[in-house]
Amino acid sequence: MIRFQNPFRKGQTGLMLLLIFNTAWLATLYFVLPAVLYFAYLPLIYLAVGGALTLWFVIYNKGFTHRRIKPENLPQGLSKEEKEGWNEEGERLFRRSRWALTIIIPILLVFLADLIYLFFGQIVLGWFR
């Protein structure tokens, strides 16, 4: 079962505000820059940065193989200390790399907003005519 953490708990508020800030300025840059300067390659740059950062995030966290595994499911050859440190290492890696999520998630949200605009933009504009 997936459990979602409360974003308002102590220590998480700064990450949430950074996520909102990054989403706002990345969306503004994404939608305004091509209209003002005719910079048509911005979606490709966002795609490359988002893809590279996501790939780095998964590789750095070792494919999330070190997180939330019961000690009895670990290999038998590991000592008790290694079994105890297995999940701790996964949590440590995730804590050290969660800053990347404050860029990956806004890029995904910007692409989602762009897709909604592409598919439903004319319909929504028709409502206001």
Side-chain angles (χ1 to χ4, degrees):
M1 182 167 108
I2 297 174
R3 292 185 181 180
F4 294 101
Q5 295 178 355
N6 182 3
F8 296 106
R9 72 177 194 194
K10 188 176 181 180
Q12 299 294 324
T13 307
L15 280 175
M16 185 188 62
L17 292 175
L18 184 61
L19 182 69
I20 292 169
F21 175 75
N22 283 346
T23 303
W25 76 267
L26 283 173
T28 303
L29 187 69
Y30 185 85
F31 290 110
V32 171
L33 195 61
V36 174
L37 299 177
Y38 190 69
F39 188 67
Y41 300 108
L42 194 61
L44 296 176
I45 292 171
Y46 271 47
L47 186 63
V49 169
L53 202 54
T54 302
L55 186 64
W56 172 84
F57 185 74
V58 171
I59 290 173
Y60 182 79
N61 284 296
K62 299 180 181 179
F64 305 108
T65 58
H66 281 64
R67 294 190 74 208
R68 299 184 181 130
I69 296 178
K70 295 179 182 174
E72 57 268 7
N73 293 339
L74 293 172
Q76 297 296 329
L78 295 177
S79 67
K80 185 177 181 180
E81 293 82 22
E82 290 173 329
K83 286 183 179 182
E84 291 173 357
W86 187 271
N87 287 332
E88 292 172 9
E89 180 184 2
E91 294 297 326
R92 181 186 56 82
L93 290 174
F94 186 76
R95 275 194 312 274
R96 290 185 65 199
S97 64
R98 67 181 173 187
W99 63 268
L101 291 176
T102 63
I103 298 172
I104 294 170
I105 292 173
I107 288 175
L108 290 174
L109 291 174
V110 167
F111 277 132
L112 177 68
D114 192 27
L115 283 174
I116 290 171
Y117 174 73
L118 285 174
F119 286 110
F120 301 111
Q122 294 299 322
I123 296 171
V124 172
L125 287 176
W127 293 343
F128 296 105
R129 288 187 185 165

